[in-house]
Amino acid sequence: MARKEIAPEVLLARLSLFKELDAATLVRLTAGITRRSLKRGETLFHKGDPVTGMYVVVYGEVRLIASTPARGERLSGIVGPGQSFGEPVMFLERPTLVAAQAATDALLLHLSKNAVFAELERNPKFARRMIAGLSKRIESLVRELDRQAIGSGTERFIAYLLRHDGSGPGPSVITLPAAKGAIASQLNLTPEHFSRILRELADAGLVKVKGRMITVLDLDRLELAARRRSR
């Protein structure tokens, strides 16, 4: 069944970054909006492309992929519904630092740089919302760096599973949003180490692995295992 098309200002009003903005502000911002529908695997932009604005995810997930000559490609983040990306380089007015690729079918809103800058100059409340959003991004990055610096690879992966599942006790299925090698890179693990962690957790009866699907047999037991390892 096709998704019903919703007016851009209504979509914006549902997202945390824009929730408390008045109707006039939303109308001005939507004048600079372009919808971008992506199929799974489709590239939105490449590293080094010029920045024309910021993006907000309405539904679906987008992978952000960093690359260096020494390490090759590395998954640097995944952006889901209600989240935005592209603001830092938009404000710095530099080319993109990463590539963006749809992890699933997705709908994005592209807010033009000119529309965002004009509203920032006009509206202090919107400026505060943007600053708060960037501050949360920095806080999240610091926490992620802390998680990678402390603990074993197993602890990092268990923490990753716990962050990506909101269900209670009992079996639950978490679908990795990228190939295992990409997830390993995001967790600062080699593919071989990541495979060994999966085998150890499966042998311990904590998870079942089938392709990208990780079935957590009991989240409470998994959480307990993480706490025991951290002692």
Side-chain angles (χ1 to χ4, degrees):
M1 182 182 294
R3 294 177 185 264
K4 183 179 179 182
E5 187 164 308
I6 303 172
E9 62 269 23
V10 175
L11 290 172
L12 278 186
R14 294 177 179 176
L15 305 176
S16 58
L17 184 61
F18 308 95
K19 255 181 187 175
E20 297 177 12
L21 299 179
D22 58 70
T25 300
L26 291 171
V27 169
R28 287 192 297 269
L29 287 171
T30 54
I33 278 182
T34 305
R35 291 173 182 259
R36 290 295 306 271
S37 295
L38 299 175
K39 295 294 185 184
R40 179 179 177 179
E42 187 176 349
T43 297
L44 178 64
F45 55 74
H46 296 89
K47 179 181 178 181
D49 283 353
V51 175
T52 57
M54 58 177 284
Y55 294 89
V56 179
V57 180
V58 179
Y59 64 78
E61 291 183 329
V62 175
R63 290 191 290 257
L64 302 180
I65 304 167
S67 60
T68 62
R71 297 187 62 182
E73 290 191 350
R74 177 178 181 273
L75 182 68
S76 65
I78 297 170
V79 190
Q83 297 178 316
S84 59
F85 62 99
E87 302 98 312
V89 287
M90 178 184 71
F91 288 128
L92 292 171
E93 299 191 87
R94 294 177 181 173
T96 56
L97 300 174
V98 297
Q101 183 185 71
T104 64
D105 289 353
L107 173 64
L108 312 181
L109 299 181
H110 173 265
L111 278 72
S112 74
K113 181 170 65 175
N114 291 339
V116 173
F117 284 8
E119 195 58 38
L120 287 172
E121 292 183 6
R122 174 198 293 265
N123 190 338
K125 185 173 184 179
F126 180 59
R128 288 194 297 271
R129 299 288 292 180
M130 293 295 296
I131 291 169
L134 289 171
S135 298
K136 287 179 181 177
R137 192 85 53 82
I138 293 170
E139 181 183 41
S140 176
L141 177 60
V142 170
R143 287 179 177 174
E144 184 62 32
L145 290 173
D146 283 345
R147 280 192 290 263
Q148 292 191 14
I150 299 172
S152 67
T154 301
E155 289 167 350
R156 294 201 295 275
F157 180 58
I158 290 175
Y160 175 91
L161 290 176
L162 294 174
R163 289 198 306 275
H164 288 78
D165 186 277
S167 62
S172 60
V173 178
I174 299 165
T175 302
L176 299 179
K180 291 174 186 173
I183 300 299
S185 177
Q186 187 182 14
L187 295 172
N188 202 25
L189 301 168
T190 65
E192 295 78 14
H193 190 183
F194 187 58
S195 294
R196 188 164 66 250
I197 289 168
L198 290 175
R199 285 197 304 272
E200 289 173 354
L201 293 176
D203 290 344
L206 294 171
V207 303
K208 287 184 178 179
V209 182
K210 184 177 181 181
R212 292 187 184 179
M213 286 199 311
I214 311 294
T215 302
V216 179
L217 301 176
D218 192 319
L219 279 171
D220 288 344
R221 284 184 60 211
L222 192 67
E223 205 165 13
L224 180 61
R227 287 199 297 269
R228 284 174 175 167
R229 285 175 173 272
S230 63
R231 290 173 184 170

